[in-house]
Amino acid sequence: MTLAACLATTPLAALADQVTISSKDGAVSITGELISFDDEVFVLDTDIGQLRLSRSATDCTGAACPVLTTNLDMAVAVNEPKTASLLQAMVNGFAASRDLTGLSVPGSNGVVERIDLQNFQTNSTAGSVDVNLEPTNAAFSQLVGQQVDLTITKVAVPAAIAENVVASGGTDLRDLSRERVIALDAIVPIVHPNNPIRSVSLEELALIASGRIRNWSELGGDDLPIQMLLPAEGSSLDQAFTELVLDPNRVRLRRSAQRAESESAAAAAVAANEGAITVTSLSEATVGEVLPIRQTCGPLAYATDFAIKAEEYPLSRRVFAYTGDAVQSSTGNDFVEFLTSPEAQPLIANAGYVDQVVISEPISLQGTRMTSAILSASTAATLGLVQNFSRDLATADRLSTTFRFTSGSARLDNKSLEDVQRMVDFLNSAEARNRDILIIGFTDDVGRFDLNERLALLRATSVRDALAAAIGGDVLVGRMSVSSYGPLAPVGCNETADGRESNRRVEIWLR
């Protein structure tokens, strides 16, 4: 509720009255005059100055306390049962922050179909969230047709759909006001634990899927037929596997290719068959042996939290939330804001996804990319730059959040725009506040080295400026330095389009 809305339900004179803001456990309280309230934060004028206090962590008592609208009524389309579980966790977490309780109602397929909200303090209903399990295209069609208020998917909105919305006079679904990245996931290949194969390349995965590699002995394993279980046709996992694995390797599937009904069914089949292999979401990889990806340029890529957060694991996936027009002016908008809040991050991790909490990794664990930096230095001059790079980072830790850009520009993409405030908050935390901040730009190796170096510096500068402009960013300016190493120290293989894309980035290091 905005302050204007509060004024509509609270006498103007009452705002000058004192209110008491208390922690949820009642252990701490403070009294003062309510200056403003913007749905999430109380601004209080007290004897020790103005204080900003979070509504989700406090209770307000007094005549001037705003009358809060807590009802949440919305319809949401999801395209995977696991995503429905993520939504369920988020709704319950949001409800708890509003002193509500959610009661989930499962459908005939066992997937949550509706979440009813209850306010036990007033013994009244507080809305409901309808959950529609739909294929990706149907989910977007329902959003555009205003049949649902929100769509949660692991597939970015197709350009054709977004452009049709714009042509009809609507807001582009790719705009930050409509598109949020709420979590991260990854596709991983899994095999039976007894399978001696310990890595696989994307090309080999494609050839296995096509039936052109049929026996594990062709990959150095046992003489055992391969049983490949592909994702359910038309699922978001099927779409992602096609886009990330099959299409880049120009492979088409046989009509007789064996498919699993669900990711859990595929994982169960792998657990029961030593010759089986499947691909699944990391959030579903509860059984079997997860194989790292052997990249064309040599290094192994492991599906670690850090690599997925940095979006350097080659089969990383974003979990998107797309909002419709009606959400922008309702409690639903508060829910959308909650999806990317600090309070939501443990809910995301508990649901089996990768959250967006910033974590650090010492230079000692970045050995593979340091080797890549040395190998990519083709001249004495670039080798000297690698030495400078190594010297600069000898005592540094890398942060997991990596800033990326819209194609061919120095403009941050939507995820990175949201990452800015998250990064500033971390850099001001006790863990980081006494350390120097190194902002380093990189590119792929296409084109002249000097031009790439200049572009990487431009991008690193744009990240610095964005950090400085964010709330609390002004105090960071004296600690920040900007540098560029162009195509040096690649994290992906420049031989592939996806590898080149992953190399176009800005990293944050602490020293």
Side-chain angles (χ1 to χ4, degrees):
M1 180 182 292
T2 62
L3 182 57
C6 292
L7 291 171
T9 56
T10 306
L12 183 60
L15 280 177
D17 292 341
Q18 289 190 326
V19 299
T20 298
I21 306 295
S22 306
S23 59
K24 290 291 186 181
D25 60 6
V28 179
S29 64
I30 189 163
T31 299
E33 293 182 2
L34 180 64
I35 302 301
S36 66
F37 175 67
D38 66 356
D39 282 337
E40 299 300 332
V41 176
F42 297 103
V43 179
L44 217 60
D45 189 13
T46 73
D47 292 339
I48 58 174
Q50 285 193 4
L51 299 178
R52 294 169 58 85
L53 303 167
S54 169
R55 182 188 67 174
S56 64
T58 59
D59 291 316
C60 180
T61 55
C65 291
V67 178
L68 304 178
T69 301
T70 58
N71 280 23
L72 178 63
D73 283 294
M74 62 190 312
V76 184
V78 300
N79 50 32
E80 294 178 4
K82 189 73 175 180
T83 312
S85 297
L86 173 63
L87 171 65
Q88 183 179 10
M90 298 294 240
V91 171
N92 287 337
F94 177 77
S97 73
R98 301 280 176 124
D99 295 322
L100 306 176
T101 300
L103 176 64
S104 298
V105 180
S108 58
N109 57 1
V111 179
V112 61
E113 189 174 74
R114 191 179 74 252
I115 305 169
D116 293 325
L117 302 179
Q118 185 78 18
N119 187 330
F120 284 104
Q121 291 183 346
T122 61
N123 194 30
S124 61
T125 60
S128 66
V129 177
D130 293 323
V131 185
N132 300 347
L133 182 61
E134 301 285 354
T136 302
N137 288 341
F140 281 120
S141 295
Q142 290 183 357
L143 182 69
V144 173
Q146 301 185 46
Q147 297 163 273
V148 298
D149 304 294
L150 180 70
T151 291
I152 298 181
T153 172
K154 294 179 185 175
V155 178
V157 60
I161 292 177
E163 289 162 6
N164 283 339
V165 171
V166 174
S168 301
T171 303
D172 194 332
L173 291 175
R174 296 166 294 189
D175 187 83
L176 182 59
S177 66
R178 294 292 190 267
E179 179 188 80
R180 302 286 183 91
V181 176
I182 62 172
L184 300 164
D185 201 1
I187 298 174
V188 293
I190 59 173
V191 296
H192 193 280
N194 292 344
N195 193 322
I197 296 295
R198 284 295 172 261
S199 68
V200 65
S201 71
L202 296 184
E203 180 184 15
E204 288 168 347
L205 267 181
L207 294 176
I208 291 171
S210 69
R212 291 161 63 182
I213 293 180
R214 301 189 176 190
N215 194 293
W216 287 110
S217 63
E218 298 177 62
L219 300 177
D222 295 336
D223 183 9
L224 186 66
I226 297 175
Q227 181 191 11
M228 176 63 161
L229 293 168
L230 293 166
E233 190 167 7
S235 66
S236 65
L237 181 61
D238 181 42
Q239 289 178 265
F241 184 69
T242 298
E243 292 171 5
L244 298 175
V245 179
L246 300 181
D247 288 349
N249 289 288
R250 300 179 181 180
V251 166
R252 292 186 177 182
L253 298 178
R254 296 169 292 126
R255 290 185 178 179
S256 59
Q258 187 175 357
R259 294 186 179 273
E261 292 184 1
S262 65
E263 293 184 56
S264 57
V270 167
N273 183 346
E274 292 191 12
I277 181 173
T278 192
V279 291
T280 186
S281 302
L282 181 64
S283 54
E284 293 279 4
T286 55
V287 298
E289 182 78 18
V290 175
L291 297 182
I293 301 297
R294 189 173 64 256
Q295 301 188 82
T296 56
C297 50
L300 293 179
Y302 292 86
T304 64
D305 274 9
F306 190 97
I308 294 170
K309 289 185 180 191
E311 298 187 288
E312 290 170 3
Y313 177 70
L315 299 180
S316 296
R317 303 175 75 190
R318 294 178 173 183
V319 182
F320 297 93
Y322 290 94
T323 58
D325 293 337
V327 169
Q328 303 298 310
S329 57
S330 70
T331 308
N333 188 56
D334 295 344
F335 175 65
V336 172
E337 293 294 333
F338 177 82
L339 295 176
T340 56
S341 69
E343 294 77 17
Q345 302 312 305
L347 305 177
I348 292 166
N350 289 339
Y353 289 87
V354 176
D355 61 45
Q356 298 185 81
V357 173
V358 180
I359 58 176
S360 63
E361 187 170 273
I363 186 67
S364 60
L365 296 181
Q366 294 276 312
T368 298
R369 62 93 52 88
M370 300 307 292
T371 301
S372 297
I374 295 171
L375 294 176
S376 67
S378 56
T379 67
T382 53
L383 185 58
L385 286 174
V386 171
Q387 292 175 332
N388 292 340
F389 175 68
S390 302
R391 189 179 303 112
D392 287 344
L393 303 181
T395 59
D397 296 326
R398 185 184 169 192
L399 302 185
S400 57
T401 300
T402 301
F403 292 93
R404 301 187 184 278
F405 305 83
T406 57
S407 181
S409 78
R411 186 166 62 88
L412 293 169
D413 68 10
N414 283 350
K415 180 181 184 302
S416 293
L417 287 171
E418 292 229 69
D419 282 337
V420 167
Q421 189 62 57
R422 188 178 290 120
M423 177 60 72
V424 168
D425 292 342
F426 177 83
L427 294 174
N428 279 320
S429 69
E431 181 178 350
R433 68 167 62 112
N434 295 320
R435 305 183 69 181
D436 293 332
I437 304 164
L438 311 180
I439 305 172
I440 308 175
F442 298 90
T443 65
D444 58 33
D445 68 350
V446 178
R448 285 168 38 186
F449 184 93
D450 59 330
L451 295 180
N452 281 328
E453 191 175 27
R454 192 179 308 166
L455 175 59
L457 184 62
L458 178 64
R459 287 173 169 168
T461 301
S462 72
V463 170
R464 180 201 63 191
D465 293 346
L467 294 173
I471 297 172
D474 55 334
V475 300
L476 302 176
V477 173
R479 296 164 52 201
M480 294 192 293
S481 65
V482 172
S483 59
S484 163
Y485 287 98
L488 298 182
V491 294
C493 297
N494 281 305
E495 293 83 357
T496 68
D498 289 336
R500 290 190 294 273
E501 183 175 354
S502 67
N503 288 332
R504 298 190 284 266
R505 71 206 186 277
V506 170
E507 300 176 358
I508 311 293
W509 291 70
L510 295 180
R511 185 175 58 194

